[in-house]
Amino acid sequence: MTLRQGSFLWYLYLDKLYCLLSVRNVRALVEYFRLLDVHRNNTLNDVLFYHFLHHVTNWNRRQIMSVFDMLDWEAMGEIGFDQFYVLVCILLAQQNHLEEQFIYRHSRPVFELLDLDGELKIGAENFRMYNFLFHIKKQELRDFYRDLDITGDRRLNYKEFKLFTIFTMDKYQEKQKVEMEEKEREEEEKALLKKETSLEVYVTPKDSLRGVKEPESRVGLSGGCEQQQQQLGMGPVGYTEEVTAVSAQDHGTGPSTVSISH
């Protein structure tokens, strides 16, 4: 079963520990129930009930009407808010995969719902009929009937049913523990792999230039020039070079000597 996205129940929050609605959500649910109760009888008949579940779930007509018969404890052809509230909690528990938790926390109401004949005993056919509602696994139910059916009549009284809820809850918690450990192990492996990858790829600029020897400078800013000049036989002050310049012919001037001091 899946709730239709965008429906009213989609926005309700179910407490995962106790499988109950908050006070604020209950108030909103009361107002929603009043809107559905078009006859103002504080009840929903089978027609209103069918259209409500047809709108919020993907159940077929046979499933919807079987749930109505289960909730109609007094066979009045209608249900009140109490039964409506139980139904909504069951739907939200199934939507959040908390069926085992819900059965464990509310074993008495669930037992009374499954006890269709009012004999205070539940047969295997009752579980099969409403398996789409509580998702009780056939193998678990078969193992329980084999190991914990104290009376041996293949029918469960409330004490045996309570043992069954404890049995299924223990298995559910073990499964959750294993899944949590696997998830933590995967996260640790991903973190370790990410750390190793970052250590292999990252290189600091200092490390990248390590081992590269910088060339020594051959010429200084001041002393280097004087040292080269002394090696070439030049004085520290400078020298005079005569440059013969030829003036332009159109001026009619002859060659002249120009002294350039360096």
Side-chain angles (χ1 to χ4, degrees), residues 228-260:
Q228 288 184 358
Q229 290 173 0
Q230 292 176 1
Q231 293 176 356
L232 294 174
M234 295 183 293
V237 178
Y239 62 94
T240 302
E241 179 183 0
E242 293 184 352
V243 179
T244 303
V246 181
S247 60
Q249 294 180 0
D250 52 357
H251 289 84
T253 60
S256 61
T257 300
V258 180
S259 178
I260 300 176

Side-chain angles (χ1 to χ4, degrees), residues 108-141:
R108 174 62 73 175
V110 172
F111 179 83
E112 293 176 352
L113 287 175
L114 295 176
D115 182 21
L116 301 178
D117 300 327
E119 297 179 353
L120 302 180
K121 290 187 177 182
I122 302 175
E125 63 277 4
N126 299 64
F127 287 102
R128 287 193 295 267
M129 185 182 302
Y130 294 103
N131 187 47
F132 69 93
L133 194 60
F134 297 106
H135 289 173
I136 299 175
K137 296 180 180 180
K138 295 180 180 180
Q139 185 61 39
E140 293 181 356
L141 189 61

